[in-house]
Amino acid sequence: MANVGVIGRIFQRKPVELIHAETDHGELKRTLGALNLTLLGIGCIIGTGIFVLTGRAAAIWAGPGIMISFVITGALCAFVALCYAELASALPVSGSAYSYSYASMGEIVAWIMGLLLLLEYGLAASTVAVGWSGYVNSLLLDIHRAWSFFPTIPPELTAAPGEAVKNAAGVVIAHGVVNLPAVLGIAAVTCLLIVGVSESATVNNIIVFIKLGVVLAFIAIGAFYVHPHLWSPLIPAQVPAPPPGTPMDMPHQIGRALMDVITGAKGTHYGLGGVIHGAAVIFFAYIGFEAVSTAGAESKNPGRDMPIGILGALVICTILYIATCAVLVGIVPYQSLDNAAPLATAVNQIGIPWFAVLVKLGAIAGLSSVMLVLLYGQTRIFYTMSHDGLLPSQLAVVHKRFKTPWINTIIVGVVAAGGAGLMSLDALSDLTNVGSLAAFAIVCATVIYLRVTHPKMARPFRTPLYPIVPILGVLMCLFLLLSLMAVPATRNFFLIYLAVGIVIYFAYGLWFSKLGRGGATLEAEIATMGTHPPVD
């Protein structure tokens, strides 16, 4: 019977009514409108993808077909975005997918979701910080070339331990000890988040406008230097060429490409398979649209504004991605774009060095805003988990002056800084994608569950074409997840990470969970909340 009791506790669900009550009587300030939320999403999405991954994906996998890759990935992410929009409008809470899974699938699943979101937000911020460090180093070198007295950062302090540091000619000049600029970037963003969300949102809005201006300027100016012949062929021939007699009709090519993605095979490039594989690689470029959902408890009118913020950010960024790729591969042959600053390479190609510097400044600003939003999302998830008793109560302590979870923010900042300074870019991006895809699959499944168990729950936004959209979302996420888990290092780290996290749950979370400890009834808890009105 004791075992049955434990099993019952770990799968007990947080009442939707209690989630609504916590939202109505929370301590966090409601200061974010639809524009803030849209810019929050854009600030998180436009970053590493557009400033780094576009060139690499085009050079190695898709060629000019990278434009098609972005269409594919954007369409697949739309399935997930529509599910997020419904849940964000129905359950507008701080905590995002963690709260959604707590209401639908039970406490243990919510805990696992919290672990996944630490990978998605915490390590994603570390990943972006590494890209930010690359642009900062490049800009400092440009300044040093112009004014030799200007200091630069020693190459050993610009990469993770053991990582090779190369110069512009591709020659290894050092091996990394720690990525110091990445650590400092995370530290600066952490301090800003402690000051307050209103101030952070204002800074984010300014940075978003700056980087949007740079991206739009690149598209507008670069369009005059596009060579249309570089777009042909749109999908380059597969390398190496398939054996004689291999069926080359569209269904067979798609089937082989999908199988390569699932098995993690990377032996072929370009062709239709390369376009599909490119779509899987650039998935990281879209991580961030769901970060809007973590701000539900700080939204002025979440039922209306949350769907606008999520879907608006996704649509705007997809259009910008496609336009940027069209200009990029139209200026520079795609084979020359395998570097960390493809947009700078393009503007150098057209002979505007001052604009190359401007692009680097825009990239630094853009990546800064991404770090801001990702760390913001992670702190709000920990805040909610602590409020539920699954994490120590200190993580939910709100600063008396700034009205932010400051202890929580410092801890998240230290963890993210450690990842940024000590882990490689490939390892960080793979683990981020694993956490994100697993979390997205659970979110899509949650929409189906709540439609069945709470059919009359108020839903200001409803996912269209239900249940097709959430089912496709689940299948898409599992498909891409299999491709990442085919890499032994990623798979082993992820499984060990989950195992350790579950042990921590049974050692702490299970025993201190407010829901599991029983205590007051739902009505009494809601009544108690009424004595603590939200701070305006």
Side-chain angles (χ1 to χ4, degrees):
M1 294 298 292
N3 290 336
V4 174
V6 170
I7 293 175
R9 283 185 61 179
I10 67 176
F11 284 104
Q12 60 186 339
R13 296 182 291 273
K14 190 173 183 179
V16 173
E17 296 81 4
L18 181 56
I19 292 178
H20 283 150
E22 290 174 344
T23 302
D24 294 337
H25 301 90
E27 293 181 271
L28 301 176
K29 294 188 290 184
R30 290 187 175 277
T31 59
L32 305 179
L35 179 60
N36 290 125
L37 293 171
T38 302
L39 293 175
L40 196 69
I42 295 174
C44 197
I45 297 173
I46 293 185
T48 303
I50 204 166
F51 291 117
V52 179
L53 295 181
T54 48
R56 181 171 176 79
I60 297 178
W61 299 110
I66 188 66
M67 293 179 279
I68 302 175
S69 298
F70 271 108
V71 173
I72 294 172
T73 306
L76 296 177
C77 287
F79 296 141
V80 180
L82 290 168
C83 294
Y84 260 104
E86 175 172 321
L87 295 178
S89 67
L91 302 171
V93 292
S94 183
S96 179
Y98 159 77
S99 297
Y100 308 155
S101 56
Y102 209 163
S104 61
M105 299 184 181
E107 188 170 274
I108 184 66
V109 179
W111 175 266
I112 292 173
M113 177 63 81
L115 296 176
L116 297 175
L117 293 177
L118 177 57
L119 293 179
E120 179 182 352
Y121 291 110
L123 285 190
S126 303
T127 308
V128 174
V130 173
W132 182 88
S133 171
Y135 272 95
V136 168
N137 292 328
S138 178
L139 181 61
L140 291 177
L141 289 174
D142 288 345
I143 298 174
H144 180 73
R145 292 188 190 102
W147 297 287
S148 58
F149 62 85
F150 197 87
T152 60
I153 302 174
E156 294 83 1
L157 300 181
T158 62
E163 286 285 296
V165 181
K166 300 179 181 179
N167 60 16
V171 178
V172 177
I173 57 175
H175 286 84
V177 175
V178 64
N179 195 328
L180 182 61
V183 172
L184 296 177
I186 291 287
V189 171
T190 300
C191 292
L192 181 59
L193 283 172
I194 292 174
V195 172
V197 65
S198 298
E199 293 76 9
S200 302
T202 300
V203 172
N204 177 71
N205 291 350
I206 294 172
I207 293 176
V208 169
F209 281 118
I210 291 174
K211 71 177 176 181
L212 281 178
V214 169
V215 172
L216 291 173
F218 173 78
I219 295 171
I221 296 175
F224 292 99
Y225 297 88
V226 166
H227 304 288
H229 72 273
L230 293 178
W231 291 340
S232 181
L234 182 62
I235 302 178
Q238 178 179 315
V239 177
T246 301
M248 295 303 294
D249 57 282
M250 189 72 70
H252 279 91
Q253 289 192 62
I254 293 176
R256 288 195 298 271
L258 295 179
M259 186 56 63
D260 285 346
V261 171
I262 292 175
T263 59
K266 298 181 179 180
T268 61
H269 305 268
Y270 311 124
L272 189 58
V275 171
I276 294 177
H277 197 99
V281 169
I282 61 174
F283 175 79
F284 185 91
Y286 279 98
I287 292 177
F289 68 85
E290 80 292 346
V292 176
S293 64
T294 65
E298 290 156 283
S299 172
K300 294 177 181 177
N301 184 2
R304 178 182 67 89
D305 295 342
M306 297 293 281
I308 293 175
I310 294 172
L311 296 175
L314 184 65
V315 170
I316 292 171
C317 290
T318 299
I319 294 172
L320 289 176
Y321 275 149
I322 295 171
T324 300
C325 288
V327 173
L328 185 63
V329 298
I331 296 175
V332 182
Y334 63 87
Q335 299 93 335
S336 303
L337 291 173
D338 185 13
N339 59 70
L343 269 65
T345 300
V347 291
N348 285 337
Q349 181 87 2
I350 60 180
I352 311 181
W354 64 266
F355 192 48
V357 173
L358 183 61
V359 166
K360 292 177 184 180
L361 288 172
I364 291 170
L367 295 173
S368 299
S369 70
V370 176
M371 288 189 289
L372 178 73
V373 176
L374 289 171
L375 288 182
Y376 167 85
Q378 182 59 60
T379 60
R380 272 37 181 188
I381 292 165
F382 274 1
Y383 170 85
T384 306
M385 294 179 72
S386 175
H387 189 271
D388 289 334
L390 297 180
L391 292 175
S393 59
Q394 289 80 3
L395 297 184
V397 173
V398 175
H399 195 282
K400 292 182 179 180
R401 177 183 174 188
F402 300 131
K403 302 299 179 185
T404 57
W406 65 284
I407 298 176
N408 167 357
T409 302
I410 291 174
I411 293 174
V412 169
V414 170
V415 173
L422 303 175
M423 295 180 69
S424 70
L425 183 62
D426 288 342
L428 287 169
S429 60
D430 282 350
L431 291 171
T432 299
N433 283 342
V434 166
S436 302
L437 288 166
F440 289 176
I442 295 176
V443 165
C444 293
T446 299
V447 169
I448 299 173
Y449 178 87
L450 288 179
R451 286 286 189 101
V452 174
T453 60
H454 291 76
K456 296 182 179 179
M457 184 172 65
R459 294 175 172 84
F461 178 88
R462 300 178 70 89
T463 301
L465 299 177
Y466 173 86
I468 297 175
V469 167
I471 290 175
L472 288 177
V474 171
L475 295 177
M476 175 271 292
C477 292
L478 294 178
F479 168 71
L480 294 180
L481 185 60
L482 286 174
S483 70
L484 293 171
M485 295 293 280
V487 179
T490 302
R491 180 177 63 250
N492 294 339
F493 181 96
F494 181 66
L495 294 177
I496 293 172
Y497 171 77
L498 279 185
V500 172
I502 291 173
V503 169
I504 293 174
Y505 168 74
F506 281 102
Y508 182 91
L510 176 65
W511 308 107
F512 291 92
S513 164
K514 290 182 180 179
L515 196 61
R517 293 168 71 183
T521 63
L522 174 62
E523 293 77 9
E525 182 125 6
I526 294 175
T528 302
M529 291 176 195
T531 64
H532 302 284
V535 178
D536 295 325

